[in-house]
PDB file of all heavy atoms in Angstrom:
ATOM      1  N   VAL A 295     121.154 -52.557 -92.001  1.00 98.00           N
ATOM      2  CA  VAL A 295     121.755 -52.644 -93.328  1.00 98.00           C
ATOM      3  C   VAL A 295     123.212 -53.102 -93.222  1.00 98.00           C
ATOM      4  O   VAL A 295     123.977 -52.586 -92.407  1.00 98.00           O
ATOM      5  CB  VAL A 295     121.665 -51.275 -94.045  1.00 98.00           C
ATOM      6  CG1 VAL A 295     122.368 -51.340 -95.397  1.00 98.00           C
ATOM      7  CG2 VAL A 295     120.210 -50.872 -94.232  1.00 98.00           C
ATOM      8  N   ASN A 296     123.560 -54.084 -94.037  1.00 98.00           N
ATOM      9  CA  ASN A 296     124.921 -54.605 -94.137  1.00 98.00           C
ATOM     10  C   ASN A 296     125.559 -54.990 -92.801  1.00 98.00           C
ATOM     11  O   ASN A 296     126.626 -54.477 -92.439  1.00 98.00           O
ATOM     12  CB  ASN A 296     125.823 -53.576 -94.846  1.00 98.00           C
ATOM     13  CG  ASN A 296     125.587 -53.555 -96.343  1.00 98.00           C
ATOM     14  OD1 ASN A 296     125.018 -54.499 -96.894  1.00 98.00           O
ATOM     15  ND2 ASN A 296     126.017 -52.499 -97.004  1.00 98.00           N
ATOM     16  N   PRO A 297     124.932 -55.884 -92.056  1.00 98.00           N
ATOM     17  CA  PRO A 297     125.573 -56.327 -90.807  1.00 98.00           C
ATOM     18  C   PRO A 297     126.956 -56.946 -91.039  1.00 98.00           C
ATOM     19  O   PRO A 297     127.799 -56.944 -90.143  1.00 98.00           O
ATOM     20  CB  PRO A 297     124.585 -57.368 -90.246  1.00 98.00           C
ATOM     21  CG  PRO A 297     123.682 -57.723 -91.378  1.00 98.00           C
ATOM     22  CD  PRO A 297     123.628 -56.529 -92.268  1.00 98.00           C
ATOM     23  N   SER A 298     127.200 -57.437 -92.244  1.00 98.00           N
ATOM     24  CA  SER A 298     128.523 -58.014 -92.545  1.00 98.00           C
ATOM     25  C   SER A 298     129.509 -56.943 -92.999  1.00 98.00           C
ATOM     26  O   SER A 298     130.697 -57.207 -93.132  1.00 98.00           O
ATOM     27  CB  SER A 298     128.398 -59.049 -93.664  1.00 98.00           C
ATOM     28  OG  SER A 298     128.216 -58.377 -94.910  1.00 98.00           O
ATOM     29  N   GLY A 299     128.990 -55.752 -93.291  1.00 98.00           N
ATOM     30  CA  GLY A 299     129.827 -54.705 -93.876  1.00 98.00           C
ATOM     31  C   GLY A 299     129.536 -54.505 -95.359  1.00 98.00           C
ATOM     32  O   GLY A 299     129.930 -53.505 -95.942  1.00 98.00           O
ATOM     33  N   GLY A 300     128.882 -55.484 -95.963  1.00 98.00           N
ATOM     34  CA  GLY A 300     128.496 -55.346 -97.368  1.00 98.00           C
ATOM     35  C   GLY A 300     129.681 -55.340 -98.318  1.00 98.00           C
ATOM     36  O   GLY A 300     130.813 -55.683 -97.932  1.00 98.00           O
ATOM     37  N   ALA A 301     129.414 -54.938 -99.552  1.00 98.00           N
ATOM     38  CA  ALA A 301     130.464 -54.943-100.581  1.00 98.00           C
ATOM     39  C   ALA A 301     131.551 -53.919-100.270  1.00 98.00           C
ATOM     40  O   ALA A 301     132.700 -54.088-100.679  1.00 98.00           O
ATOM     41  CB  ALA A 301     129.856 -54.652-101.947  1.00 98.00           C
ATOM     42  N   LEU A 302     131.208 -52.867 -99.533  1.00 98.00           N
ATOM     43  CA  LEU A 302     132.199 -51.831 -99.234  1.00 98.00           C
ATOM     44  C   LEU A 302     133.265 -52.326 -98.255  1.00 98.00           C
ATOM     45  O   LEU A 302     134.320 -51.729 -98.119  1.00 98.00           O
ATOM     46  CB  LEU A 302     131.515 -50.574 -98.684  1.00 98.00           C
ATOM     47  CG  LEU A 302     130.700 -49.771 -99.715  1.00 98.00           C
ATOM     48  CD1 LEU A 302     129.869 -48.706 -99.023  1.00 98.00           C
ATOM     49  CD2 LEU A 302     131.618 -49.132-100.757  1.00 98.00           C
ATOM     50  N   ALA A 303     132.975 -53.459 -97.577  1.00 98.00           N
ATOM     51  CA  ALA A 303     133.955 -54.019 -96.644  1.00 98.00           C
ATOM     52  C   ALA A 303     134.723 -55.194 -97.242  1.00 98.00           C
ATOM     53  O   ALA A 303     135.760 -55.603 -96.713  1.00 98.00           O
ATOM     54  CB  ALA A 303     133.252 -54.462 -95.362  1.00 98.00           C
ATOM     55  N   GLY A 304     134.205 -55.750 -98.335  1.00 98.00           N
ATOM     56  CA  GLY A 304     134.855 -56.883 -98.992  1.00 98.00           C
ATOM     57  C   GLY A 304     134.140 -57.148-100.301  1.00 98.00           C
ATOM     58  O   GLY A 304     132.928 -57.311-100.306  1.00 98.00           O
ATOM     59  N   ASN A 305     134.906 -57.165-101.409  1.00 98.00           N
ATOM     60  CA  ASN A 305     134.248 -57.095-102.713  1.00 98.00           C
ATOM     61  C   ASN A 305     134.831 -58.103-103.717  1.00 98.00           C
ATOM     62  O   ASN A 305     135.326 -57.725-104.766  1.00 98.00           O
ATOM     63  CB  ASN A 305     134.423 -55.658-103.241  1.00 98.00           C
ATOM     64  CG  ASN A 305     133.754 -55.438-104.579  1.00 98.00           C
ATOM     65  OD1 ASN A 305     132.693 -56.003-104.837  1.00 98.00           O
ATOM     66  ND2 ASN A 305     134.375 -54.627-105.431  1.00 98.00           N
ATOM     67  N   PRO A 306     134.781 -59.405-103.395  1.00 98.00           N
ATOM     68  CA  PRO A 306     135.300 -60.373-104.367  1.00 98.00           C
ATOM     69  C   PRO A 306     134.372 -60.451-105.579  1.00 98.00           C
ATOM     70  O   PRO A 306     133.309 -61.068-105.514  1.00 98.00           O
ATOM     71  CB  PRO A 306     135.324 -61.692-103.573  1.00 98.00           C
ATOM     72  CG  PRO A 306     134.296 -61.510-102.511  1.00 98.00           C
ATOM     73  CD  PRO A 306     134.244 -60.050-102.194  1.00 98.00           C
ATOM     74  N   MET A 307     134.764 -59.784-106.625  1.00 97.00           N
ATOM     75  CA  MET A 307     133.902 -59.686-107.803  1.00 97.00           C
ATOM     76  C   MET A 307     133.517 -61.080-108.276  1.00 97.00           C
ATOM     77  O   MET A 307     134.337 -61.985-108.251  1.00 97.00           O
ATOM     78  CB  MET A 307     134.645 -58.942-108.913  1.00 97.00           C
ATOM     79  CG  MET A 307     133.725 -58.043-109.706  1.00 97.00           C
ATOM     80  SD  MET A 307     134.617 -57.292-111.071  1.00 97.00           S
ATOM     81  CE  MET A 307     133.398 -57.521-112.352  1.00 97.00           C
ATOM     82  N   MET A 308     132.294 -61.234-108.713  1.00 98.00           N
ATOM     83  CA  MET A 308     131.670 -62.480-109.180  1.00 98.00           C
ATOM     84  C   MET A 308     131.203 -63.368-108.021  1.00 98.00           C
ATOM     85  O   MET A 308     130.477 -64.323-108.239  1.00 98.00           O
ATOM     86  CB  MET A 308     132.562 -63.311-110.120  1.00 98.00           C
ATOM     87  CG  MET A 308     133.262 -62.529-111.217  1.00 98.00           C
ATOM     88  SD  MET A 308     132.207 -61.352-112.090  1.00 98.00           S
ATOM     89  CE  MET A 308     131.234 -62.429-113.113  1.00 98.00           C
ATOM     90  N   ALA A 309     131.638 -63.069-106.796  1.00 98.00           N
ATOM     91  CA  ALA A 309     131.157 -63.820-105.634  1.00 98.00           C
ATOM     92  C   ALA A 309     130.447 -62.897-104.652  1.00 98.00           C
ATOM     93  O   ALA A 309     129.700 -63.352-103.793  1.00 98.00           O
ATOM     94  CB  ALA A 309     132.316 -64.511-104.930  1.00 98.00           C
ATOM     95  N   VAL A 310     130.664 -61.589-104.786  1.00 98.00           N
ATOM     96  CA  VAL A 310     130.198 -60.644-103.751  1.00 98.00           C
ATOM     97  C   VAL A 310     128.672 -60.637-103.628  1.00 98.00           C
ATOM     98  O   VAL A 310     128.129 -60.568-102.521  1.00 98.00           O
ATOM     99  CB  VAL A 310     130.771 -59.227-103.990  1.00 98.00           C
ATOM    100  CG1 VAL A 310     130.338 -58.653-105.320  1.00 98.00           C
ATOM    101  CG2 VAL A 310     130.403 -58.286-102.852  1.00 98.00           C
ATOM    102  N   GLY A 311     127.959 -60.753-104.751  1.00 98.00           N
ATOM    103  CA  GLY A 311     126.491 -60.777-104.705  1.00 98.00           C
ATOM    104  C   GLY A 311     125.991 -62.068-104.078  1.00 98.00           C
ATOM    105  O   GLY A 311     125.078 -62.072-103.246  1.00 98.00           O
ATOM    106  N   LEU A 312     126.614 -63.172-104.474  1.00 98.00           N
ATOM    107  CA  LEU A 312     126.235 -64.475-103.906  1.00 98.00           C
ATOM    108  C   LEU A 312     126.477 -64.471-102.395  1.00 98.00           C
ATOM    109  O   LEU A 312     125.668 -64.985-101.620  1.00 98.00           O
ATOM    110  CB  LEU A 312     127.042 -65.588-104.574  1.00 98.00           C
ATOM    111  CG  LEU A 312     126.695 -67.019-104.154  1.00 98.00           C
ATOM    112  CD1 LEU A 312     125.299 -67.395-104.618  1.00 98.00           C
ATOM    113  CD2 LEU A 312     127.716 -68.013-104.691  1.00 98.00           C
ATOM    114  N   SER A 313     127.584 -63.841-101.974  1.00 98.00           N
ATOM    115  CA  SER A 313     127.886 -63.773-100.540  1.00 98.00           C
ATOM    116  C   SER A 313     126.825 -62.984 -99.775  1.00 98.00           C
ATOM    117  O   SER A 313     126.555 -63.281 -98.607  1.00 98.00           O
ATOM    118  CB  SER A 313     129.258 -63.123-100.308  1.00 98.00           C
ATOM    119  OG  SER A 313     130.275 -63.940-100.815  1.00 98.00           O
ATOM    120  N   ARG A 314     126.227 -61.973-100.437  1.00 98.00           N
ATOM    121  CA  ARG A 314     125.180 -61.205 -99.757  1.00 98.00           C
ATOM    122  C   ARG A 314     123.990 -62.119 -99.432  1.00 98.00           C
ATOM    123  O   ARG A 314     123.385 -62.018 -98.371  1.00 98.00           O
ATOM    124  CB  ARG A 314     124.699 -60.028-100.626  1.00 98.00           C
ATOM    125  CG  ARG A 314     125.805 -59.069-101.037  1.00 98.00           C
ATOM    126  CD  ARG A 314     126.217 -58.086 -99.953  1.00 98.00           C
ATOM    127  NE  ARG A 314     126.956 -58.607 -98.824  1.00 98.00           N
ATOM    128  CZ  ARG A 314     128.217 -59.055 -98.842  1.00 98.00           C
ATOM    129  NH1 ARG A 314     128.924 -59.096 -99.937  1.00 98.00           N
ATOM    130  NH2 ARG A 314     128.773 -59.491 -97.744  1.00 98.00           N
ATOM    131  N   ILE A 315     123.667 -63.029-100.361  1.00 98.00           N
ATOM    132  CA  ILE A 315     122.569 -63.978-100.115  1.00 98.00           C
ATOM    133  C   ILE A 315     122.970 -64.909 -98.970  1.00 98.00           C
ATOM    134  O   ILE A 315     122.174 -65.195 -98.073  1.00 98.00           O
ATOM    135  CB  ILE A 315     122.237 -64.768-101.405  1.00 98.00           C
ATOM    136  CG1 ILE A 315     121.751 -63.793-102.500  1.00 98.00           C
ATOM    137  CG2 ILE A 315     121.172 -65.832-101.124  1.00 98.00           C
ATOM    138  CD1 ILE A 315     121.509 -64.427-103.864  1.00 98.00           C
ATOM    139  N   GLY A 316     124.230 -65.340 -98.984  1.00 98.00           N
ATOM    140  CA  GLY A 316     124.706 -66.224 -97.915  1.00 98.00           C
ATOM    141  C   GLY A 316     124.723 -65.540 -96.561  1.00 98.00           C
ATOM    142  O   GLY A 316     124.310 -66.123 -95.548  1.00 98.00           O
ATOM    143  N   GLU A 317     125.186 -64.291 -96.526  1.00 98.00           N
ATOM    144  CA  GLU A 317     125.229 -63.540 -95.259  1.00 98.00           C
ATOM    145  C   GLU A 317     123.810 -63.335 -94.712  1.00 98.00           C
ATOM    146  O   GLU A 317     123.587 -63.414 -93.497  1.00 98.00           O
ATOM    147  CB  GLU A 317     125.903 -62.173 -95.465  1.00 98.00           C
ATOM    148  CG  GLU A 317     127.410 -62.240 -95.720  1.00 98.00           C
ATOM    149  CD  GLU A 317     128.227 -62.494 -94.461  1.00 98.00           C
ATOM    150  OE1 GLU A 317     127.636 -62.642 -93.381  1.00 98.00           O
ATOM    151  OE2 GLU A 317     129.474 -62.547 -94.564  1.00 98.00           O
ATOM    152  N   SER A 318     122.862 -63.059 -95.603  1.00 98.00           N
ATOM    153  CA  SER A 318     121.468 -62.893 -95.169  1.00 98.00           C
ATOM    154  C   SER A 318     120.928 -64.205 -94.615  1.00 98.00           C
ATOM    155  O   SER A 318     120.289 -64.244 -93.558  1.00 98.00           O
ATOM    156  CB  SER A 318     120.592 -62.445 -96.343  1.00 98.00           C
ATOM    157  OG  SER A 318     121.084 -61.259 -96.912  1.00 98.00           O
ATOM    158  N   ALA A 319     121.202 -65.298 -95.357  1.00 98.00           N
ATOM    159  CA  ALA A 319     120.684 -66.611 -94.948  1.00 98.00           C
ATOM    160  C   ALA A 319     121.238 -67.017 -93.585  1.00 98.00           C
ATOM    161  O   ALA A 319     120.508 -67.540 -92.739  1.00 98.00           O
ATOM    162  CB  ALA A 319     121.040 -67.652 -95.999  1.00 98.00           C
ATOM    163  N   SER A 320     122.529 -66.728 -93.353  1.00 98.00           N
ATOM    164  CA  SER A 320     123.118 -67.178 -92.086  1.00 98.00           C
ATOM    165  C   SER A 320     122.472 -66.452 -90.903  1.00 98.00           C
ATOM    166  O   SER A 320     122.418 -66.993 -89.796  1.00 98.00           O
ATOM    167  CB  SER A 320     124.635 -66.980 -92.106  1.00 98.00           C
ATOM    168  OG  SER A 320     124.945 -65.615 -92.234  1.00 98.00           O
ATOM    169  N   ARG A 321     121.959 -65.239 -91.143  1.00 98.00           N
ATOM    170  CA  ARG A 321     121.273 -64.517 -90.060  1.00 98.00           C
ATOM    171  C   ARG A 321     119.863 -65.045 -89.829  1.00 98.00           C
ATOM    172  O   ARG A 321     119.299 -64.886 -88.747  1.00 98.00           O
ATOM    173  CB  ARG A 321     121.296 -63.016 -90.347  1.00 98.00           C
ATOM    174  CG  ARG A 321     122.657 -62.454 -90.007  1.00 98.00           C
ATOM    175  CD  ARG A 321     122.973 -61.116 -90.564  1.00 98.00           C
ATOM    176  NE  ARG A 321     124.314 -60.724 -90.124  1.00 98.00           N
ATOM    177  CZ  ARG A 321     125.459 -61.105 -90.700  1.00 98.00           C
ATOM    178  NH1 ARG A 321     125.421 -61.856 -91.776  1.00 98.00           N
ATOM    179  NH2 ARG A 321     126.623 -60.728 -90.215  1.00 98.00           N
ATOM    180  N   ILE A 322     119.304 -65.664 -90.840  1.00 98.00           N
ATOM    181  CA  ILE A 322     118.015 -66.344 -90.652  1.00 98.00           C
ATOM    182  C   ILE A 322     118.253 -67.646 -89.876  1.00 98.00           C
ATOM    183  O   ILE A 322     117.534 -67.945 -88.921  1.00 98.00           O
ATOM    184  CB  ILE A 322     117.376 -66.679 -92.023  1.00 98.00           C
ATOM    185  CG1 ILE A 322     117.193 -65.405 -92.833  1.00 98.00           C
ATOM    186  CG2 ILE A 322     116.100 -67.507 -91.839  1.00 98.00           C
ATOM    187  CD1 ILE A 322     115.831 -64.863 -92.974  1.00 98.00           C
ATOM    188  N   TRP A 323     119.281 -68.391 -90.273  1.00 98.00           N
ATOM    189  CA  TRP A 323     119.583 -69.655 -89.574  1.00 98.00           C
ATOM    190  C   TRP A 323     119.753 -69.412 -88.080  1.00 98.00           C
ATOM    191  O   TRP A 323     119.267 -70.176 -87.262  1.00 98.00           O
ATOM    192  CB  TRP A 323     120.892 -70.279 -90.091  1.00 98.00           C
ATOM    193  CG  TRP A 323     120.922 -70.625 -91.536  1.00 98.00           C
ATOM    194  CD1 TRP A 323     119.858 -70.838 -92.363  1.00 98.00           C
ATOM    195  CD2 TRP A 323     122.099 -70.807 -92.339  1.00 98.00           C
ATOM    196  NE1 TRP A 323     120.296 -71.136 -93.637  1.00 98.00           N
ATOM    197  CE2 TRP A 323     121.661 -71.128 -93.642  1.00 98.00           C
ATOM    198  CE3 TRP A 323     123.468 -70.743 -92.080  1.00 98.00           C
ATOM    199  CZ2 TRP A 323     122.555 -71.379 -94.688  1.00 98.00           C
ATOM    200  CZ3 TRP A 323     124.352 -70.994 -93.112  1.00 98.00           C
ATOM    201  CH2 TRP A 323     123.902 -71.313 -94.408  1.00 98.00           C
ATOM    202  N   SER A 324     120.478 -68.333 -87.745  1.00 98.00           N
ATOM    203  CA  SER A 324     120.805 -68.092 -86.338  1.00 98.00           C
ATOM    204  C   SER A 324     119.623 -67.526 -85.551  1.00 98.00           C
ATOM    205  O   SER A 324     119.685 -67.430 -84.330  1.00 98.00           O
ATOM    206  CB  SER A 324     121.984 -67.117 -86.249  1.00 98.00           C
ATOM    207  OG  SER A 324     121.562 -65.827 -86.669  1.00 98.00           O
TER     208      SER A 324
END
Side-chain angles (χ1 to χ4, degrees):
Chain A
V295 177
N296 284 342
S298 75
L302 289 170
N305 181 36
M307 217 184 136
M308 314 314 285
V310 61
L312 184 67
S313 294
R314 303 281 71 70
I315 298 175
E317 289 283 1
S318 303
S320 62
R321 282 164 179 83
I322 302 254
W323 300 339
S324 70

